[in-house]
Amino acid sequence: MLIRRLRRLLGQTPPPIVSVVRLSGIIGGVGGFRPGLTIAATAPLLERAFAPRDQVAVALIINSPGGSPVQSALIGGRIRALADEKKLPVIAFVEDVAASGGYWLACAADEIVADASSVVGSIGVVSRGFGFPEALRRLGIERRVHTSGTNKNMLDPFQPERAEDVERLKSLQEEVHESFKDWVRRRRGPKLTVPEAELFTGEFWTGTRGLTLGLVDRLGDARTVLRERYGTDVKIRMVGQRRSLVQRLGGGESRIAGLPGSADLGAGIAAGLLAAAEERALWQRYGL
């Protein structure tokens, strides 16, 4: 900042600044020692990205297959609030994938730039799980669950699936899906080139196809586009997450005061392996 002031005093024009925030990974709490994109984790990064007074734009580097719709909405809403407050344009650059919640985040930008082979879209809602009622019976295990409330044990994976439970779940999904569609309409409405019935099915496309559908604005990469728009001397200001020593060593927030014990570490590793498997399955849905 001092150098920029000196340049102005000398009559020189300092190079334009663009702050860049990387939003990469599953959206929401992943579990174990594996961090996910949450409003708690990203809010400080976004505040720092929008803080400089003399910058010309904020860029988002997005690489996410989605996750929690709530966290997607909270992060996207915070981006828009800061952009409006600071009156700064926001450009989203899609790397491998911005699908489902990842595309929700991309829509928070004023412009979306994707690689030709990026994956974009997946405007839908999904709920995944397993059913184990036969496994318990074969193992001779009796499961005892006591509830207060007739629907408290809805969609229990250890009991046969009930049609009325699935109907309730689909009703909830429709509400979340409608919120997703409303967000895309507000952010991309005039740019969409095909009927909504073709876009809001949960299908995903390459960046090239996304361009023709109006899901993205152009093809390219961050360095090329920023230099083209703001000059070859544009200064890229990377905004990264500050992590404690314990976090860098693999510990979670709850163990900042000390290193994890063996029991906690074992439980954390088990949870981390399960979370990793679920995360991997989500990425593989998009061929990654």
Side-chain angles (χ1 to χ4, degrees), residues 234-246:
V234 62
K235 182 179 179 182
I236 306 299
R237 175 178 173 265
M238 298 300 299
V239 179
Q241 187 171 12
R242 296 166 180 167
R243 301 188 301 164
S244 68
L245 174 61
V246 173

Side-chain angles (χ1 to χ4, degrees), residues 121-195:
S122 191
I123 305 169
V125 181
V126 64
S127 177
R128 297 184 179 89
F130 300 92
F132 304 100
E134 288 301 313
L136 290 185
R137 184 184 63 79
R138 291 176 182 176
L139 291 172
I141 298 174
E142 179 186 0
R143 185 162 183 265
R144 297 168 182 172
V145 179
H146 308 281
T147 67
S148 175
T150 56
N151 295 318
K152 187 64 178 178
N153 203 32
M154 186 179 76
L155 296 172
D156 185 340
F158 295 99
Q159 295 188 19
E161 192 172 64
R162 300 188 304 173
E164 57 268 32
D165 290 349
V166 175
E167 186 177 347
R168 292 190 190 96
L169 175 62
K170 287 186 175 294
S171 177
L172 291 173
Q173 289 178 323
E174 285 298 328
E175 290 185 38
V176 176
H177 193 194
E178 196 58 44
S179 296
F180 196 171
K181 292 188 287 186
D182 284 343
W183 174 250
V184 176
R185 290 184 190 111
R186 293 201 307 270
R187 302 300 307 155
R188 304 290 305 174
K191 300 178 180 181
L192 301 177
T193 61
V194 298

